[in-house]
PDB file of all heavy atoms in Angstrom:
ATOM      1  N   PRO A 170     -13.827  28.502  16.312  1.00 80.00           N
ATOM      2  CA  PRO A 170     -13.433  27.630  17.420  1.00 80.00           C
ATOM      3  C   PRO A 170     -13.942  28.141  18.760  1.00 80.00           C
ATOM      4  O   PRO A 170     -14.210  29.318  18.943  1.00 80.00           O
ATOM      5  CB  PRO A 170     -11.909  27.711  17.375  1.00 80.00           C
ATOM      6  CG  PRO A 170     -11.665  29.120  16.933  1.00 80.00           C
ATOM      7  CD  PRO A 170     -12.787  29.476  15.985  1.00 80.00           C
ATOM      8  N   ASN A 171     -14.078  27.246  19.716  1.00 59.00           N
ATOM      9  CA  ASN A 171     -14.163  27.631  21.118  1.00 59.00           C
ATOM     10  C   ASN A 171     -13.396  26.587  21.905  1.00 59.00           C
ATOM     11  O   ASN A 171     -12.735  25.726  21.329  1.00 59.00           O
ATOM     12  CB  ASN A 171     -15.616  27.787  21.581  1.00 59.00           C
ATOM     13  CG  ASN A 171     -16.338  26.459  21.750  1.00 59.00           C
ATOM     14  OD1 ASN A 171     -15.817  25.401  21.399  1.00 59.00           O
ATOM     15  ND2 ASN A 171     -17.540  26.515  22.263  1.00 59.00           N
ATOM     16  N   SER A 172     -13.463  26.629  23.226  1.00 48.00           N
ATOM     17  CA  SER A 172     -12.600  25.761  24.024  1.00 48.00           C
ATOM     18  C   SER A 172     -12.831  24.286  23.731  1.00 48.00           C
ATOM     19  O   SER A 172     -11.891  23.493  23.712  1.00 48.00           O
ATOM     20  CB  SER A 172     -12.826  26.040  25.518  1.00 48.00           C
ATOM     21  OG  SER A 172     -14.187  25.836  25.862  1.00 48.00           O
ATOM     22  N   ARG A 173     -14.078  23.881  23.463  1.00 51.00           N
ATOM     23  CA  ARG A 173     -14.346  22.474  23.190  1.00 51.00           C
ATOM     24  C   ARG A 173     -13.993  22.126  21.750  1.00 51.00           C
ATOM     25  O   ARG A 173     -13.521  21.038  21.449  1.00 51.00           O
ATOM     26  CB  ARG A 173     -15.821  22.169  23.478  1.00 51.00           C
ATOM     27  CG  ARG A 173     -16.144  22.231  24.966  1.00 51.00           C
ATOM     28  CD  ARG A 173     -17.626  22.127  25.208  1.00 51.00           C
ATOM     29  NE  ARG A 173     -18.148  20.816  24.845  1.00 51.00           N
ATOM     30  CZ  ARG A 173     -19.429  20.492  24.963  1.00 51.00           C
ATOM     31  NH1 ARG A 173     -20.297  21.376  25.408  1.00 51.00           N
ATOM     32  NH2 ARG A 173     -19.838  19.293  24.618  1.00 51.00           N
ATOM     33  N   ALA A 174     -14.207  23.083  20.850  1.00 48.00           N
ATOM     34  CA  ALA A 174     -13.888  22.811  19.448  1.00 48.00           C
ATOM     35  C   ALA A 174     -12.394  22.653  19.239  1.00 48.00           C
ATOM     36  O   ALA A 174     -11.964  22.000  18.300  1.00 48.00           O
ATOM     37  CB  ALA A 174     -14.412  23.946  18.571  1.00 48.00           C
ATOM     38  N   ARG A 175     -11.587  23.274  20.115  1.00 53.00           N
ATOM     39  CA  ARG A 175     -10.141  23.163  19.943  1.00 53.00           C
ATOM     40  C   ARG A 175      -9.657  21.738  20.074  1.00 53.00           C
ATOM     41  O   ARG A 175      -8.565  21.391  19.639  1.00 53.00           O
ATOM     42  CB  ARG A 175      -9.421  24.025  20.979  1.00 53.00           C
ATOM     43  CG  ARG A 175      -9.553  25.505  20.710  1.00 53.00           C
ATOM     44  CD  ARG A 175      -8.890  26.282  21.808  1.00 53.00           C
ATOM     45  NE  ARG A 175      -9.660  27.475  22.096  1.00 53.00           N
ATOM     46  CZ  ARG A 175      -9.593  28.144  23.223  1.00 53.00           C
ATOM     47  NH1 ARG A 175      -8.801  27.732  24.189  1.00 53.00           N
ATOM     48  NH2 ARG A 175     -10.313  29.221  23.411  1.00 53.00           N
ATOM     49  N   GLY A 176     -10.457  20.879  20.697  1.00 53.00           N
ATOM     50  CA  GLY A 176     -10.074  19.480  20.792  1.00 53.00           C
ATOM     51  C   GLY A 176      -9.895  18.832  19.436  1.00 53.00           C
ATOM     52  O   GLY A 176      -9.206  17.825  19.308  1.00 53.00           O
ATOM     53  N   ASN A 177     -10.539  19.399  18.421  1.00 52.00           N
ATOM     54  CA  ASN A 177     -10.390  18.873  17.066  1.00 52.00           C
ATOM     55  C   ASN A 177      -9.078  19.271  16.420  1.00 52.00           C
ATOM     56  O   ASN A 177      -8.749  18.787  15.342  1.00 52.00           O
ATOM     57  CB  ASN A 177     -11.530  19.388  16.179  1.00 52.00           C
ATOM     58  CG  ASN A 177     -12.834  18.693  16.476  1.00 52.00           C
ATOM     59  OD1 ASN A 177     -12.850  17.506  16.733  1.00 52.00           O
ATOM     60  ND2 ASN A 177     -13.924  19.434  16.459  1.00 52.00           N
ATOM     61  N   LEU A 178      -8.339  20.187  17.065  1.00 57.00           N
ATOM     62  CA  LEU A 178      -7.113  20.696  16.462  1.00 57.00           C
ATOM     63  C   LEU A 178      -5.873  19.943  16.916  1.00 57.00           C
ATOM     64  O   LEU A 178      -4.777  20.202  16.444  1.00 57.00           O
ATOM     65  CB  LEU A 178      -6.948  22.186  16.807  1.00 57.00           C
ATOM     66  CG  LEU A 178      -8.049  23.096  16.274  1.00 57.00           C
ATOM     67  CD1 LEU A 178      -7.840  24.508  16.782  1.00 57.00           C
ATOM     68  CD2 LEU A 178      -8.062  23.083  14.752  1.00 57.00           C
ATOM     69  N   ILE A 179      -6.031  19.024  17.868  1.00 52.00           N
ATOM     70  CA  ILE A 179      -4.882  18.266  18.355  1.00 52.00           C
ATOM     71  C   ILE A 179      -5.271  16.788  18.439  1.00 52.00           C
ATOM     72  O   ILE A 179      -6.445  16.427  18.493  1.00 52.00           O
ATOM     73  CB  ILE A 179      -4.420  18.754  19.743  1.00 52.00           C
ATOM     74  CG1 ILE A 179      -5.577  18.722  20.748  1.00 52.00           C
ATOM     75  CG2 ILE A 179      -3.851  20.162  19.664  1.00 52.00           C
ATOM     76  CD1 ILE A 179      -5.180  19.131  22.148  1.00 52.00           C
ATOM     77  N   LEU A 180      -4.273  15.934  18.473  1.00 50.00           N
ATOM     78  CA  LEU A 180      -4.532  14.505  18.569  1.00 50.00           C
ATOM     79  C   LEU A 180      -5.043  14.137  19.955  1.00 50.00           C
ATOM     80  O   LEU A 180      -4.521  14.604  20.967  1.00 50.00           O
ATOM     81  CB  LEU A 180      -3.245  13.729  18.292  1.00 50.00           C
ATOM     82  CG  LEU A 180      -2.784  13.644  16.837  1.00 50.00           C
ATOM     83  CD1 LEU A 180      -1.456  12.928  16.791  1.00 50.00           C
ATOM     84  CD2 LEU A 180      -3.811  12.937  15.984  1.00 50.00           C
ATOM     85  N   ASP A 181      -6.067  13.311  20.006  1.00 52.00           N
ATOM     86  CA  ASP A 181      -6.488  12.731  21.267  1.00 52.00           C
ATOM     87  C   ASP A 181      -5.335  11.875  21.792  1.00 52.00           C
ATOM     88  O   ASP A 181      -4.698  11.144  21.037  1.00 52.00           O
ATOM     89  CB  ASP A 181      -7.742  11.872  21.033  1.00 52.00           C
ATOM     90  CG  ASP A 181      -8.353  11.382  22.332  1.00 52.00           C
ATOM     91  OD1 ASP A 181      -7.700  10.567  23.014  1.00 52.00           O
ATOM     92  OD2 ASP A 181      -9.476  11.809  22.638  1.00 52.00           O
ATOM     93  N   ARG A 182      -5.081  11.945  23.096  1.00 51.00           N
ATOM     94  CA  ARG A 182      -3.930  11.215  23.649  1.00 51.00           C
ATOM     95  C   ARG A 182      -4.064   9.697  23.477  1.00 51.00           C
ATOM     96  O   ARG A 182      -3.088   8.970  23.559  1.00 51.00           O
ATOM     97  CB  ARG A 182      -3.760  11.557  25.128  1.00 51.00           C
ATOM     98  CG  ARG A 182      -4.941  11.171  25.999  1.00 51.00           C
ATOM     99  CD  ARG A 182      -4.739  11.680  27.421  1.00 51.00           C
ATOM    100  NE  ARG A 182      -5.875  11.372  28.269  1.00 51.00           N
ATOM    101  CZ  ARG A 182      -5.971  11.755  29.540  1.00 51.00           C
ATOM    102  NH1 ARG A 182      -4.995  12.462  30.082  1.00 51.00           N
ATOM    103  NH2 ARG A 182      -7.036  11.451  30.255  1.00 51.00           N
ATOM    104  N   ARG A 183      -5.297   9.240  23.223  1.00 51.00           N
ATOM    105  CA  ARG A 183      -5.489   7.800  23.011  1.00 51.00           C
ATOM    106  C   ARG A 183      -5.191   7.396  21.575  1.00 51.00           C
ATOM    107  O   ARG A 183      -5.137   6.211  21.250  1.00 51.00           O
ATOM    108  CB  ARG A 183      -6.934   7.418  23.362  1.00 51.00           C
ATOM    109  CG  ARG A 183      -7.271   7.592  24.836  1.00 51.00           C
ATOM    110  CD  ARG A 183      -8.763   7.451  25.064  1.00 51.00           C
ATOM    111  NE  ARG A 183      -9.508   8.488  24.342  1.00 51.00           N
ATOM    112  CZ  ARG A 183     -10.836   8.572  24.327  1.00 51.00           C
ATOM    113  NH1 ARG A 183     -11.570   7.682  24.973  1.00 51.00           N
ATOM    114  NH2 ARG A 183     -11.440   9.534  23.658  1.00 51.00           N
ATOM    115  N   VAL A 184      -5.044   8.382  20.699  1.00 51.00           N
ATOM    116  CA  VAL A 184      -4.777   8.094  19.288  1.00 51.00           C
ATOM    117  C   VAL A 184      -3.315   8.419  19.001  1.00 51.00           C
ATOM    118  O   VAL A 184      -2.914   9.577  18.964  1.00 51.00           O
ATOM    119  CB  VAL A 184      -5.687   8.926  18.364  1.00 51.00           C
ATOM    120  CG1 VAL A 184      -5.395   8.607  16.907  1.00 51.00           C
ATOM    121  CG2 VAL A 184      -7.148   8.670  18.696  1.00 51.00           C
ATOM    122  N   THR A 185      -2.499   7.415  18.835  1.00 55.00           N
ATOM    123  CA  THR A 185      -1.083   7.629  18.566  1.00 55.00           C
ATOM    124  C   THR A 185      -0.877   8.060  17.126  1.00 55.00           C
ATOM    125  O   THR A 185      -1.741   7.881  16.268  1.00 55.00           O
ATOM    126  CB  THR A 185      -0.293   6.341  18.811  1.00 55.00           C
ATOM    127  OG1 THR A 185      -0.711   5.359  17.842  1.00 55.00           O
ATOM    128  CG2 THR A 185      -0.519   5.808  20.213  1.00 55.00           C
ATOM    129  N   ARG A 186       0.290   8.612  16.864  1.00 51.00           N
ATOM    130  CA  ARG A 186       0.600   9.021  15.498  1.00 51.00           C
ATOM    131  C   ARG A 186       0.621   7.803  14.576  1.00 51.00           C
ATOM    132  O   ARG A 186       0.230   7.886  13.405  1.00 51.00           O
ATOM    133  CB  ARG A 186       1.961   9.730  15.472  1.00 51.00           C
ATOM    134  CG  ARG A 186       2.352  10.234  14.077  1.00 51.00           C
ATOM    135  CD  ARG A 186       1.270  11.164  13.526  1.00 51.00           C
ATOM    136  NE  ARG A 186       1.450  11.454  12.122  1.00 51.00           N
ATOM    137  CZ  ARG A 186       1.934  12.585  11.649  1.00 51.00           C
ATOM    138  NH1 ARG A 186       2.297  13.525  12.481  1.00 51.00           N
ATOM    139  NH2 ARG A 186       2.054  12.794  10.368  1.00 51.00           N
ATOM    140  N   GLU A 187       1.039   6.656  15.119  1.00 57.00           N
ATOM    141  CA  GLU A 187       1.086   5.453  14.306  1.00 57.00           C
ATOM    142  C   GLU A 187      -0.328   5.043  13.869  1.00 57.00           C
ATOM    143  O   GLU A 187      -0.550   4.655  12.718  1.00 57.00           O
ATOM    144  CB  GLU A 187       1.749   4.303  15.081  1.00 57.00           C
ATOM    145  CG  GLU A 187       3.251   4.475  15.278  1.00 57.00           C
ATOM    146  CD  GLU A 187       3.594   5.560  16.294  1.00 57.00           C
ATOM    147  OE1 GLU A 187       2.736   5.855  17.164  1.00 57.00           O
ATOM    148  OE2 GLU A 187       4.713   6.110  16.201  1.00 57.00           O
ATOM    149  N   ARG A 188      -1.299   5.126  14.819  1.00 51.00           N
ATOM    150  CA  ARG A 188      -2.664   4.774  14.470  1.00 51.00           C
ATOM    151  C   ARG A 188      -3.206   5.743  13.421  1.00 51.00           C
ATOM    152  O   ARG A 188      -3.924   5.342  12.507  1.00 51.00           O
ATOM    153  CB  ARG A 188      -3.562   4.805  15.709  1.00 51.00           C
ATOM    154  CG  ARG A 188      -3.337   3.636  16.663  1.00 51.00           C
ATOM    155  CD  ARG A 188      -4.305   3.701  17.816  1.00 51.00           C
ATOM    156  NE  ARG A 188      -5.695   3.570  17.340  1.00 51.00           N
ATOM    157  CZ  ARG A 188      -6.752   3.809  18.125  1.00 51.00           C
ATOM    158  NH1 ARG A 188      -6.576   4.194  19.381  1.00 51.00           N
ATOM    159  NH2 ARG A 188      -7.961   3.667  17.638  1.00 51.00           N
ATOM    160  N   LEU A 189      -2.873   7.012  13.588  1.00 47.00           N
ATOM    161  CA  LEU A 189      -3.326   7.993  12.607  1.00 47.00           C
ATOM    162  C   LEU A 189      -2.704   7.707  11.249  1.00 47.00           C
ATOM    163  O   LEU A 189      -3.369   7.797  10.217  1.00 47.00           O
ATOM    164  CB  LEU A 189      -2.963   9.409  13.068  1.00 47.00           C
ATOM    165  CG  LEU A 189      -3.496  10.547  12.196  1.00 47.00           C
ATOM    166  CD1 LEU A 189      -5.012  10.598  12.249  1.00 47.00           C
ATOM    167  CD2 LEU A 189      -2.910  11.873  12.629  1.00 47.00           C
ATOM    168  N   ASP A 190      -1.430   7.349  11.251  1.00 52.00           N
ATOM    169  CA  ASP A 190      -0.761   7.019   9.996  1.00 52.00           C
ATOM    170  C   ASP A 190      -1.435   5.840   9.314  1.00 52.00           C
ATOM    171  O   ASP A 190      -1.571   5.802   8.086  1.00 52.00           O
ATOM    172  CB  ASP A 190       0.715   6.711  10.241  1.00 52.00           C
ATOM    173  CG  ASP A 190       1.514   7.983  10.529  1.00 52.00           C
ATOM    174  OD1 ASP A 190       1.016   9.075  10.187  1.00 52.00           O
ATOM    175  OD2 ASP A 190       2.616   7.865  11.082  1.00 52.00           O
ATOM    176  N   ASP A 191      -1.857   4.837  10.122  1.00 55.00           N
ATOM    177  CA  ASP A 191      -2.554   3.693   9.548  1.00 55.00           C
ATOM    178  C   ASP A 191      -3.843   4.135   8.865  1.00 55.00           C
ATOM    179  O   ASP A 191      -4.168   3.676   7.764  1.00 55.00           O
ATOM    180  CB  ASP A 191      -2.873   2.661  10.641  1.00 55.00           C
ATOM    181  CG  ASP A 191      -1.615   1.951  11.118  1.00 55.00           C
ATOM    182  OD1 ASP A 191      -0.603   2.013  10.387  1.00 55.00           O
ATOM    183  OD2 ASP A 191      -1.646   1.359  12.215  1.00 55.00           O
ATOM    184  N   ARG A 192      -4.585   5.027   9.537  1.00 49.00           N
ATOM    185  CA  ARG A 192      -5.823   5.517   8.953  1.00 49.00           C
ATOM    186  C   ARG A 192      -5.528   6.327   7.688  1.00 49.00           C
ATOM    187  O   ARG A 192      -6.277   6.255   6.715  1.00 49.00           O
ATOM    188  CB  ARG A 192      -6.575   6.376   9.975  1.00 49.00           C
ATOM    189  CG  ARG A 192      -7.033   5.589  11.192  1.00 49.00           C
ATOM    190  CD  ARG A 192      -7.680   6.486  12.225  1.00 49.00           C
ATOM    191  NE  ARG A 192      -7.992   5.742  13.439  1.00 49.00           N
ATOM    192  CZ  ARG A 192      -8.574   6.277  14.503  1.00 49.00           C
ATOM    193  NH1 ARG A 192      -8.922   7.543  14.494  1.00 49.00           N
ATOM    194  NH2 ARG A 192      -8.821   5.546  15.562  1.00 49.00           N
ATOM    195  N   ALA A 193      -4.460   7.072   7.735  1.00 52.00           N
ATOM    196  CA  ALA A 193      -4.085   7.856   6.555  1.00 52.00           C
ATOM    197  C   ALA A 193      -3.750   6.939   5.398  1.00 52.00           C
ATOM    198  O   ALA A 193      -4.112   7.211   4.245  1.00 52.00           O
ATOM    199  CB  ALA A 193      -2.889   8.746   6.892  1.00 52.00           C
ATOM    200  N   GLN A 194      -3.058   5.812   5.698  1.00 54.00           N
ATOM    201  CA  GLN A 194      -2.705   4.876   4.637  1.00 54.00           C
ATOM    202  C   GLN A 194      -3.961   4.234   4.035  1.00 54.00           C
ATOM    203  O   GLN A 194      -4.065   4.051   2.825  1.00 54.00           O
ATOM    204  CB  GLN A 194      -1.782   3.786   5.191  1.00 54.00           C
ATOM    205  CG  GLN A 194      -1.248   2.843   4.124  1.00 54.00           C
ATOM    206  CD  GLN A 194      -0.469   3.592   3.042  1.00 54.00           C
ATOM    207  OE1 GLN A 194       0.428   4.370   3.346  1.00 54.00           O
ATOM    208  NE2 GLN A 194      -0.834   3.372   1.786  1.00 54.00           N
ATOM    209  N   LEU A 195      -4.927   3.925   4.911  1.00 45.00           N
ATOM    210  CA  LEU A 195      -6.178   3.358   4.427  1.00 45.00           C
ATOM    211  C   LEU A 195      -6.880   4.347   3.497  1.00 45.00           C
ATOM    212  O   LEU A 195      -7.377   3.972   2.433  1.00 45.00           O
ATOM    213  CB  LEU A 195      -7.087   3.006   5.603  1.00 45.00           C
ATOM    214  CG  LEU A 195      -8.495   2.512   5.250  1.00 45.00           C
ATOM    215  CD1 LEU A 195      -8.416   1.225   4.424  1.00 45.00           C
ATOM    216  CD2 LEU A 195      -9.307   2.287   6.526  1.00 45.00           C
ATOM    217  N   LEU A 196      -6.897   5.629   3.915  1.00 49.00           N
ATOM    218  CA  LEU A 196      -7.525   6.644   3.082  1.00 49.00           C
ATOM    219  C   LEU A 196      -6.813   6.754   1.742  1.00 49.00           C
ATOM    220  O   LEU A 196      -7.447   6.863   0.689  1.00 49.00           O
ATOM    221  CB  LEU A 196      -7.512   7.995   3.817  1.00 49.00           C
ATOM    222  CG  LEU A 196      -8.138   9.178   3.076  1.00 49.00           C
ATOM    223  CD1 LEU A 196      -9.603   8.908   2.792  1.00 49.00           C
ATOM    224  CD2 LEU A 196      -7.982  10.453   3.893  1.00 49.00           C
ATOM    225  N   LYS A 197      -5.489   6.694   1.755  1.00 53.00           N
ATOM    226  CA  LYS A 197      -4.734   6.767   0.503  1.00 53.00           C
ATOM    227  C   LYS A 197      -5.045   5.567  -0.399  1.00 53.00           C
ATOM    228  O   LYS A 197      -5.135   5.715  -1.617  1.00 53.00           O
ATOM    229  CB  LYS A 197      -3.238   6.845   0.794  1.00 53.00           C
ATOM    230  CG  LYS A 197      -2.809   8.181   1.402  1.00 53.00           C
ATOM    231  CD  LYS A 197      -1.315   8.207   1.673  1.00 53.00           C
ATOM    232  CE  LYS A 197      -0.890   9.534   2.279  1.00 53.00           C
ATOM    233  NZ  LYS A 197       0.561   9.590   2.553  1.00 53.00           N
ATOM    234  N   ASP A 198      -5.185   4.387   0.221  1.00 50.00           N
ATOM    235  CA  ASP A 198      -5.519   3.219  -0.576  1.00 50.00           C
ATOM    236  C   ASP A 198      -6.870   3.389  -1.266  1.00 50.00           C
ATOM    237  O   ASP A 198      -7.034   3.075  -2.455  1.00 50.00           O
ATOM    238  CB  ASP A 198      -5.557   1.964   0.307  1.00 50.00           C
ATOM    239  CG  ASP A 198      -4.158   1.583   0.785  1.00 50.00           C
ATOM    240  OD1 ASP A 198      -3.181   2.048   0.167  1.00 50.00           O
ATOM    241  OD2 ASP A 198      -4.069   0.832   1.776  1.00 50.00           O
ATOM    242  N   LEU A 199      -7.855   3.895  -0.502  1.00 44.00           N
ATOM    243  CA  LEU A 199      -9.176   4.113  -1.084  1.00 44.00           C
ATOM    244  C   LEU A 199      -9.116   5.167  -2.182  1.00 44.00           C
ATOM    245  O   LEU A 199      -9.752   5.024  -3.229  1.00 44.00           O
ATOM    246  CB  LEU A 199     -10.160   4.547   0.009  1.00 44.00           C
ATOM    247  CG  LEU A 199     -10.492   3.485   1.058  1.00 44.00           C
ATOM    248  CD1 LEU A 199     -11.329   4.091   2.168  1.00 44.00           C
ATOM    249  CD2 LEU A 199     -11.229   2.318   0.413  1.00 44.00           C
ATOM    250  N   ASP A 200      -8.328   6.217  -1.928  1.00 53.00           N
ATOM    251  CA  ASP A 200      -8.204   7.269  -2.933  1.00 53.00           C
ATOM    252  C   ASP A 200      -7.506   6.741  -4.183  1.00 53.00           C
ATOM    253  O   ASP A 200      -7.784   7.183  -5.305  1.00 53.00           O
ATOM    254  CB  ASP A 200      -7.428   8.465  -2.377  1.00 53.00           C
ATOM    255  CG  ASP A 200      -8.252   9.254  -1.365  1.00 53.00           C
ATOM    256  OD1 ASP A 200      -9.489   9.129  -1.395  1.00 53.00           O
ATOM    257  OD2 ASP A 200      -7.657   9.985  -0.562  1.00 53.00           O
ATOM    258  N   GLY A 201      -6.596   5.797  -3.976  1.00 53.00           N
ATOM    259  CA  GLY A 201      -5.928   5.208  -5.128  1.00 53.00           C
ATOM    260  C   GLY A 201      -6.907   4.494  -6.045  1.00 53.00           C
ATOM    261  O   GLY A 201      -6.786   4.554  -7.276  1.00 53.00           O
ATOM    262  N   ILE A 202      -7.884   3.815  -5.445  1.00 45.00           N
ATOM    263  CA  ILE A 202      -8.909   3.152  -6.248  1.00 45.00           C
ATOM    264  C   ILE A 202      -9.718   4.190  -7.017  1.00 45.00           C
ATOM    265  O   ILE A 202     -10.018   4.023  -8.207  1.00 45.00           O
ATOM    266  CB  ILE A 202      -9.834   2.313  -5.340  1.00 45.00           C
ATOM    267  CG1 ILE A 202      -9.028   1.194  -4.665  1.00 45.00           C
ATOM    268  CG2 ILE A 202     -11.012   1.739  -6.129  1.00 45.00           C
ATOM    269  CD1 ILE A 202      -9.825   0.439  -3.621  1.00 45.00           C
ATOM    270  N   LYS A 203     -10.062   5.280  -6.326  1.00 48.00           N
ATOM    271  CA  LYS A 203     -10.829   6.338  -7.001  1.00 48.00           C
ATOM    272  C   LYS A 203     -10.034   6.937  -8.163  1.00 48.00           C
ATOM    273  O   LYS A 203     -10.570   7.211  -9.225  1.00 48.00           O
ATOM    274  CB  LYS A 203     -11.203   7.434  -6.003  1.00 48.00           C
ATOM    275  CG  LYS A 203     -12.186   6.977  -4.936  1.00 48.00           C
ATOM    276  CD  LYS A 203     -12.463   8.119  -3.965  1.00 48.00           C
ATOM    277  CE  LYS A 203     -13.410   7.667  -2.859  1.00 48.00           C
ATOM    278  NZ  LYS A 203     -13.666   8.749  -1.882  1.00 48.00           N
ATOM    279  N   ARG A 204      -8.735   7.117  -7.938  1.00 53.00           N
ATOM    280  CA  ARG A 204      -7.901   7.710  -8.995  1.00 53.00           C
ATOM    281  C   ARG A 204      -7.839   6.807 -10.217  1.00 53.00           C
ATOM    282  O   ARG A 204      -7.786   7.259 -11.354  1.00 53.00           O
ATOM    283  CB  ARG A 204      -6.500   7.997  -8.463  1.00 53.00           C
ATOM    284  CG  ARG A 204      -6.440   9.187  -7.518  1.00 53.00           C
ATOM    285  CD  ARG A 204      -5.006   9.669  -7.369  1.00 53.00           C
ATOM    286  NE  ARG A 204      -4.144   8.638  -6.816  1.00 53.00           N
ATOM    287  CZ  ARG A 204      -3.979   8.425  -5.521  1.00 53.00           C
ATOM    288  NH1 ARG A 204      -4.616   9.194  -4.645  1.00 53.00           N
ATOM    289  NH2 ARG A 204      -3.182   7.487  -5.093  1.00 53.00           N
ATOM    290  N   ALA A 205      -7.804   5.505  -9.923  1.00 54.00           N
ATOM    291  CA  ALA A 205      -7.746   4.569 -11.047  1.00 54.00           C
ATOM    292  C   ALA A 205      -9.007   4.646 -11.904  1.00 54.00           C
ATOM    293  O   ALA A 205      -8.991   4.320 -13.087  1.00 54.00           O
ATOM    294  CB  ALA A 205      -7.567   3.144 -10.520  1.00 54.00           C
ATOM    295  N   MET A 206     -10.105   5.096 -11.276  1.00 45.00           N
ATOM    296  CA  MET A 206     -11.362   5.207 -12.006  1.00 45.00           C
ATOM    297  C   MET A 206     -11.522   6.572 -12.657  1.00 45.00           C
ATOM    298  O   MET A 206     -12.495   6.810 -13.372  1.00 45.00           O
ATOM    299  CB  MET A 206     -12.532   4.951 -11.043  1.00 45.00           C
ATOM    300  CG  MET A 206     -12.523   3.559 -10.415  1.00 45.00           C
ATOM    301  SD  MET A 206     -13.769   3.393  -9.117  1.00 45.00           S
ATOM    302  CE  MET A 206     -15.258   3.652 -10.049  1.00 45.00           C
ATOM    303  N   ASP A 207     -10.576   7.475 -12.368  1.00 55.00           N
ATOM    304  CA  ASP A 207     -10.691   8.842 -12.875  1.00 55.00           C
ATOM    305  C   ASP A 207      -9.663   9.051 -13.973  1.00 55.00           C
ATOM    306  O   ASP A 207      -8.489   9.307 -13.715  1.00 55.00           O
ATOM    307  CB  ASP A 207     -10.481   9.843 -11.732  1.00 55.00           C
ATOM    308  CG  ASP A 207     -10.723  11.271 -12.178  1.00 55.00           C
ATOM    309  OD1 ASP A 207     -10.995  11.484 -13.373  1.00 55.00           O
ATOM    310  OD2 ASP A 207     -10.640  12.174 -11.332  1.00 55.00           O
ATOM    311  N   ALA A 208     -10.078   8.912 -15.212  1.00 48.00           N
ATOM    312  CA  ALA A 208      -9.139   8.996 -16.330  1.00 48.00           C
ATOM    313  C   ALA A 208      -8.477  10.355 -16.423  1.00 48.00           C
ATOM    314  O   ALA A 208      -7.359  10.474 -16.930  1.00 48.00           O
ATOM    315  CB  ALA A 208      -9.878   8.678 -17.637  1.00 48.00           C
ATOM    316  N   SER A 209      -9.136  11.397 -15.917  1.00 46.00           N
ATOM    317  CA  SER A 209      -8.570  12.742 -16.024  1.00 46.00           C
ATOM    318  C   SER A 209      -7.516  13.009 -14.966  1.00 46.00           C
ATOM    319  O   SER A 209      -6.786  13.997 -15.055  1.00 46.00           O
ATOM    320  CB  SER A 209      -9.684  13.790 -15.890  1.00 46.00           C
ATOM    321  OG  SER A 209     -10.211  13.781 -14.575  1.00 46.00           O
TER     322      SER A 209
END
């Protein structure tokens, strides 16, 4: 890390936790499709 890289360690003030949660839900939905294709 350095001073600019630390910006990746915290939420941008323009990105609310709710928006992040929405993105997380989208990722989970996509992963669910992948899991359905993964018999193991």
Side-chain angles (χ1 to χ4, degrees):
N171 73 353
S172 58
R173 291 172 67 180
R175 288 177 217 159
N177 285 322
L178 298 175
I179 55 177
L180 285 176
D181 188 293
R182 62 186 178 183
R183 294 169 298 178
V184 180
T185 66
R186 182 56 192 257
E187 289 72 24
R188 287 183 63 191
L189 186 66
D190 286 341
D191 289 342
R192 295 176 186 181
Q194 186 58 51
L195 175 61
L196 180 61
K197 290 180 180 180
D198 291 341
L199 293 173
D200 288 339
I202 297 172
K203 293 178 182 178
R204 287 197 299 273
M206 299 172 62
D207 186 357
S209 68

